[in-house]
Amino acid sequence: MKAISTSLTDLLTRFQRIRNQTENICKPLEPEDTVVQPMVDVSPPKWHMAHTTWFFEEFVLKPYLPKYKVFHSNYSYLFNSYYNSVGNRVQRAERSTLTRPPLRDIYQYRSHVNEHLTKLLENPDERTLKEMLPVLELGLQHEQQHQELLLTDIKYILSTNPLLPAYTSAHELEKAEYVPATYLDVPGGIYRIGYQGNDFCFDNELGVHEVLIQDFQVMNRLVTNGEYLNFMEDGGYVDFRFWLDEGFSLSKTSNWESPLYWVNKNGRWLRYSLHGLQELDLNAPVSHISFYEANAYANWAGKRLLTEYEWEAATQAYPPHQGNFSDNGLLEPTAASPNQNGMQQLYGDAWEWTYSAYHPYPGFSTAPGALGEYNGKFMINQMVLRGGSCATPSDHIRTTYRNFFHPDKRWQFTGIRLANK
Amino acid sequence: MKAISTSLTDLLTRFQRIRNQTENICKPLEPEDTVVQPMVDVSPPKWHMAHTTWFFEEFVLKPYLPKYKVFHSNYSYLFNSYYNSVGNRVQRAERSTLTRPPLRDIYQYRSHVNEHLTKLLENPDERTLKEMLPVLELGLQHEQQHQELLLTDIKYILSTNPLLPAYTSAHELEKAEYVPATYLDVPGGIYRIGYQGNDFCFDNELGVHEVLIQDFQVMNRLVTNGEYLNFMEDGGYVDFRFWLDEGFSLSKTSNWESPLYWVNKNGRWLRYSLHGLQELDLNAPVSHISFYEANAYANWAGKRLLTEYEWEAATQAYPPHQGNFSDNGLLEPTAASPNQNGMQQLYGDAWEWTYSAYHPYPGFSTAPGALGEYNGKFMINQMVLRGGSCATPSDHIRTTYRNFFHPDKRWQFTGIRLANK
Amino acid sequence: MKAISTSLTDLLTRFQRIRNQTENICKPLEPEDTVVQPMVDVSPPKWHMAHTTWFFEEFVLKPYLPKYKVFHSNYSYLFNSYYNSVGNRVQRAERSTLTRPPLRDIYQYRSHVNEHLTKLLENPDERTLKEMLPVLELGLQHEQQHQELLLTDIKYILSTNPLLPAYTSAHELEKAEYVPATYLDVPGGIYRIGYQGNDFCFDNELGVHEVLIQDFQVMNRLVTNGEYLNFMEDGGYVDFRFWLDEGFSLSKTSNWESPLYWVNKNGRWLRYSLHGLQELDLNAPVSHISFYEANAYANWAGKRLLTEYEWEAATQAYPPHQGNFSDNGLLEPTAASPNQNGMQQLYGDAWEWTYSAYHPYPGFSTAPGALGEYNGKFMINQMVLRGGSCATPSDHIRTTYRNFFHPDKRWQFTGIRLANK
Amino acid sequence: MKAISTSLTDLLTRFQRIRNQTENICKPLEPEDTVVQPMVDVSPPKWHMAHTTWFFEEFVLKPYLPKYKVFHSNYSYLFNSYYNSVGNRVQRAERSTLTRPPLRDIYQYRSHVNEHLTKLLENPDERTLKEMLPVLELGLQHEQQHQELLLTDIKYILSTNPLLPAYTSAHELEKAEYVPATYLDVPGGIYRIGYQGNDFCFDNELGVHEVLIQDFQVMNRLVTNGEYLNFMEDGGYVDFRFWLDEGFSLSKTSNWESPLYWVNKNGRWLRYSLHGLQELDLNAPVSHISFYEANAYANWAGKRLLTEYEWEAATQAYPPHQGNFSDNGLLEPTAASPNQNGMQQLYGDAWEWTYSAYHPYPGFSTAPGALGEYNGKFMINQMVLRGGSCATPSDHIRTTYRNFFHPDKRWQFTGIRLANK
């Protein structure tokens, strides 16, 4: 990853803001909410809070703050996620065993690490700073990734509760107009793919390289709940011809008949959101669908998904950081705007499944040591998603950002943008 | 079940004492401890607290307290255990989804039901009382059963935590002397089996009937940790000849090499207890073993387990209510006394596996309605255990009491008493 | 087990008859039928043919025929079933890996062992004979047990084939009249249980002991398909109140809605038999049901199953060896006779589930060495069945014979006889 | 797919040759070998023989031979593989239920279809011929694919047998010299990818398109057993840093410590082959490894796997059809030649894992109807392999041929060629 240059004061402010944001996200939770793990993909919120803190302790404080004493000798074992280089760890599926340390200890752990990091940043020597800054930056980016996971994991945890409790109350939104789908031309040619700026990016965005792309057309907005409902009502989950074989089998054995969180009550479709059970907004983007469903929808519509190269090529002209991100607290994808030309909903709202496997770019290389385990070892069996979602912090997305999930996963805010063949 | 006759004041006192005891048991827990379910046999402590309360609400307050309003309309669904007659319920394996209602709501629920029950008992009409008393008594017995499960479930929950936290601090016990095993004669003959008194008993103790028993000899105390260690060191877990076939297979696939909770550190055996990791007391009774291990031990020792009829016959002369029960707070089986003649450790310490399947006695019948689902529907694939344990309340045991678990279960305080062939 | 005294000629004749019978059973099979294992309980017929032969080679020829050379050095490993004492073996679930040796080699193996056994029996010395005879007898009884398994395993194997092929053609049977169910008195008292004769019995029939039995009444015949259909049509598989809890859960997850092998075609019930798909004979005994279904039926009917002691007590007056056994080749339970007083269908037709766990009798002991692994190590989690079936050889049944299966098994010819409470 | 133009006589000869070849492959088998299915990926040989025949019956004879009567009305159901459009079918994992029809019936089925196809080809009308030829060609290509699967499935089936029987006897090969690994330059640039000829190809090779490739270097031969042994001895299966995370987990839970079929006897490595257990030839290419192992090896060696585009670019200059194919009957990868310049072992020997997901080429489209289900619906979660193996017919491979398997599969002849970074 590349490091950013920044003033120390700005960095400290940003550090505090991001660290606070994690605690803000957890504020509405009961202690009991923070310890369960209803499926292996979901981590207990308490674990997220501790693990993001452990990252700073392990990779910043221990190497760079002289005489630093760890908060608790067991925490390195308890809150390591998957860094084999760091030593043993609690297995991913066993995170709900950590009923202790209790939540209040984790808050203390966070304070302890925050205080020592603040001290470290107050008066660093030059050489330490140069070495440490990229790691610190990675720690902040890492924490923002976990903020998105916190929101989606909390949603999943609460959704398994028979009471279907709301996480927060809903914002009142004006009823949106319908925006017709159109297809915009993207000219073919050789495109440079990967991060070329001077700020932070993840290692998986590097290996900048040229890709030859053919002319194609891209949809101006995301596919809506209403359009997806048409697919459902037209036998979308019944007709195998739209589906990849493994997806169709899975949809049968898992009894998928709609996106995750949709509930049919007496013939009316509702959806569980972080604000509780709500009416389905037909004009809002469909989300919480697997790659299999996205691809089946595309086949049904006579279109296709984009590759990640096409997505990046089509989007290079659009600045990120504008969109429906977690910052606004809506926490649901919202309808497209009728007054906007060109593409919209590129950033925020819902991650867009591409038909590209998550593989290394040419020349991809990993950092030495534990931090090299960040991205590369997951480069198999997963598909790339682009553009961020309503659970992504607005300053955490780039045109070149590569998110990745297995094609069967549905608990993230994942949606569909189509290409014309 | 039979109802007891008692004064209302005594009943009320007993009601309050038993209800308080449940809350005392949960006092050392963090909220996070009360919601997890590390294996399907274990229920979250919060669920135990709510479920025992639901029993009184469902079966006492709703039918007998005029105009009673339930504390919360969803709780009947949430906290029903397995009573099909009462309607839908949260599946047993899904109890950790109940992060809400939070623990403090469950305490309010308990207070609410306690208050209304107290009111109901203050001035009941005769007919209601007569009908209601047996159900109320069953509710108290039921709560005591859950008190034992609470302790064993808490032990299991905390044991899965890598920190191996203690539930309470340990009592200091004097080092006990070794008591040699002897075998006492029990004369054969026709014995009446089953509960013949006038106080409460469970339905599975009824169907009093005569059983013809042959002469045999019974061990004066429980098998000790030290004796069990001899078995282990003599290849007890390696030599298939001692084992029932299904038990041996299970011991291999589950990597059983000692009782549950035993930990070998550098060649030294420790055991996890509710007081944390402790030295193994070689003179204390072995516990946390399956029926398979109990039976393998018996075969290795050239002895056998008793049948439940033999156990009852041998014990009829001994009064219950004396022994190492949960009341004394030790919460571990303790060594036999060198100064006691006859059998000891019959009650308390550890449940004694018998080689009797948990089947109905002749003439067994169930109560009509939901309460009939109490015991009868579990009468398959389980083995009878007798005598109570260090987690049993002292006023909750009888000579005729039939506890039952599948032969592979190990998380209860289960031990071994032998018969001579 | 006890050995029989018999003339050597008679023994040889019997040996040849029983060995031939196994081959007769396999004659209608294709080689491909003899190697598959569609569920772990079912063994490939080729394996049965080899394993029964291995028994004689291992336990008779090797110890008693001087200079005997084994047919093939690998066969001891390949065709041992579960005798740990004999050494390693192919795991039970892996028997379909044995596509080699081919079927014709197994026929040669059988001939080889038959010839050497015949030679051994021609001129044995007295001492050898005395030692060997009980083992030889056990080998013959063992082979007869496998003959029954062969028929039920073949039935299961062919039933999984979408073509539902017939094993043999059906006998034409006259349409039977309906025989009403009546209940006959059995007087209570002390009964001697277990085998008391001088001929062969299995070790699990020993430990003759007295049991005190109360007065009860027993049904004169087996429950019929028509009666069972009434249970089904009255919601027998829907109403949990009739069921043991584990049985009801299993019936749901396994989609049980009728006995095994019943097929509903357009509202009409057919059943797969060894003669292919056939009309359901409403007056024939129901079979291929689990203990759970038998017990649910009994509860629905307001009756109960017998214990194995009651069964033996009720049956002591009836001679075995009369009934619908495998000898007549019908291979299906047949309707009761309208002209017969007292109990009928006690022997043959269908094994009768009892509500007795398969446990050791008092004083049960096993033979030393490998033969001691015959019965004892299975004495957990299984229920006793009595009386034999239409797949049992007529000379292989006794009043005291204890068959045993797990309560969920359905691929044997298992049926129901009721007791009046 | 594209059809070939050919004379009818040549076509008929080729048809007969290919059909005979399938039967030649099955000749050494016992009937019992042809029915088992030791893992779900493996199909019973009898099923392969019938299914390839069904393809011709279903897609050629039924539509194009007037008044054709199917051999057996059930075979369409029994021997359909995964064509949903054709109707119901026996589930893939249930193919060993087909002990009937017996092998001899399948041989008759093959003859029946062969005869009718011959008749159809004798005097076809022009229009039929034009329509039918592409389907017939696809049928032949399909049968050749199953010939490779037959050999690898037979190998797997026999390898599960504890006797480790040989399928055929081995050819005597001269001991090969060691050929050092060198890396050859491949110039970057825009390459046309996909099949551009006029003969047959599969639909997944179409969507010819241009790809921009960077300069790289490719290994002159396949990685050898000896080199792979170095990897193993250097902790290749122990050090997580070489591995993709899912691959490392799988290697642990599956106890992978060597390629499939390698057996360590007293410290000496042997390997099971179709000729039985043999010495390991250190100079022969390693095979029977998963993508995970191939990629871990590449990381250990400080190299990487090629993409499928690089492989095709590097290979365009090399004619296929030369190499160690199934035609020569060796049925094992053989050592490289010391006297050959440039790349070798490109075709035959072992399929080469690429680091490319099996996805559609741009503009990929499927045939209408059932034949459209041929390739497209598998385009997820699988990796592309190139170049054919020692089990591939020599006339069945192309530079553009895309084989595909999940990254964990090991039962095919799969090997490694490296690229220099």
Side-chain angles (χ1 to χ4, degrees), chain C residues 388-407:
Chain C
S389 83
C390 59
T392 311
S394 65
D395 59 347
H396 183 70
I397 196 69
R398 282 171 300 284
T399 303
T400 57
Y401 196 109
R402 305 172 81 198
N403 201 353
F404 50 93
F405 285 99
H406 291 88

Side-chain angles (χ1 to χ4, degrees), chain D residues 4-182:
Chain D
I4 64 165
S5 58
T6 179
S7 84
L8 273 181
T9 322
D10 287 357
L11 180 61
L12 195 54
T13 309
R14 198 162 137 254
F15 174 79
Q16 285 161 347
R17 176 173 57 79
I18 289 174
R19 295 284 289 165
N20 282 342
Q21 177 57 11
T22 300
E23 300 181 16
N24 288 338
I25 290 172
C26 293
K27 205 165 286 168
L29 301 179
E30 298 292 336
E32 294 98 317
D33 298 327
T34 71
V35 71
V36 294
Q37 183 172 32
M39 70 168 170
V40 69
D41 299 305
V42 162
S43 293
K46 191 170 71 175
W47 184 92
H48 283 294
M49 293 179 82
H51 167 68
T52 48
T53 305
W54 165 86
F55 191 100
F56 288 109
E57 185 173 68
E58 183 70 29
F59 296 121
V60 182
L61 293 179
K62 278 165 79 171
Y64 300 114
L65 182 61
K67 300 191 189 160
Y68 174 72
K69 279 194 188 141
V70 296
F71 179 74
H72 193 293
S73 58
N74 282 316
Y75 281 23
S76 175
Y77 169 72
L78 296 181
F79 300 120
N80 180 0
S81 56
Y82 54 74
Y83 299 87
N84 288 296
S85 311
V86 178
N88 274 328
R89 62 186 190 280
V90 174
Q91 287 304 301
R92 189 181 182 194
E94 305 293 322
R95 288 178 183 160
S96 74
T97 63
L98 301 176
T99 64
R100 315 281 177 95
L103 187 55
R104 64 178 175 279
D105 288 15
I106 300 308
Y107 274 105
Q108 283 176 22
Y109 179 38
R110 294 184 65 89
S111 297
H112 175 90
V113 165
N114 287 354
E115 283 160 22
H116 286 81
L117 241 162
T118 303
K119 194 190 296 174
L120 171 59
L121 285 182
E122 271 163 9
N123 196 14
D125 71 272
E126 274 302 300
R127 222 187 91 191
T128 298
L129 192 59
K130 205 179 146 191
E131 235 185 273
M132 182 188 76
L133 270 189
V135 186
L136 182 57
E137 179 62 36
L138 184 62
L140 292 173
Q141 299 285 343
H142 173 256
E143 182 133 359
Q144 289 191 309
Q145 291 184 306
H146 279 274
Q147 286 169 3
E148 174 146 12
L149 292 173
L150 264 168
L151 287 166
T152 51
D153 289 358
I154 289 167
K155 186 170 182 177
Y156 193 84
I157 287 168
L158 297 180
S159 80
T160 65
N161 190 308
L163 301 172
L164 292 179
Y167 162 71
T168 62
S169 57
H171 295 240
E172 281 300 316
L173 291 181
E174 280 178 52
K175 187 90 182 161
E177 280 178 53
Y178 176 70
V179 176
T182 59

Side-chain angles (χ1 to χ4, degrees), chain C residues 7 47 101 108 119 146 196 223 239 275 408:
Chain C
S7 85
W47 184 91
Q108 283 175 22
K119 194 189 297 175
H146 280 274
Q196 303 170 63
V223 169
D239 192 335
H275 318 303
D408 60 328

Side-chain angles (χ1 to χ4, degrees), chain A residues 23-55:
Chain A
E23 300 181 15
N24 288 337
I25 289 172
C26 293
K27 206 166 285 169
L29 301 180
E30 299 291 337
E32 294 98 317
D33 298 329
T34 71
V35 71
V36 294
Q37 183 171 32
M39 69 168 171
V40 70
D41 300 305
V42 162
S43 293
K46 192 170 71 176
W47 184 91
H48 283 294
M49 294 179 81
H51 167 68
T52 48
T53 304
W54 164 86
F55 191 101

Side-chain angles (χ1 to χ4, degrees), chain A residues 84-85 190 210 212 214 240 244-246 291-292 355 357 359-360 362 373 376-381 383 406-407, chain D residues 84-85 210 212 214 240 244-246 291-292 355 357 359-360 362 373 376-381 383 406-407:
Chain A
N84 288 296
S85 310
I190 292 180
E210 296 186 327
L212 182 58
Q214 297 172 297
F240 64 87
L244 289 162
D245 198 55
E246 295 186 10
F291 171 84
Y292 295 122
Y355 209 140
H359 287 174
E373 296 187 54
K377 71 181 182 182
F378 302 115
M379 289 180 170
I380 192 72
N381 292 332
M383 302 301 279
H406 291 88
Chain D
N84 288 296
S85 311
E210 295 186 326
L212 182 58
Q214 297 173 296
F240 64 87
L244 290 162
D245 198 55
E246 295 186 11
F291 171 84
Y292 295 121
Y355 209 141
H359 287 175
E373 295 186 54
K377 71 182 182 182
F378 302 114
M379 289 179 169
I380 191 72
N381 292 333
M383 303 300 279
H406 291 88

Side-chain angles (χ1 to χ4, degrees), chain B residues 361-382:
Chain B
Y361 283 170
F364 170 73
S365 69
T366 55
L371 292 176
E373 295 186 55
Y374 205 90
N375 275 312
K377 70 182 182 180
F378 302 113
M379 289 178 170
I380 192 71
N381 292 332
Q382 310 207 42

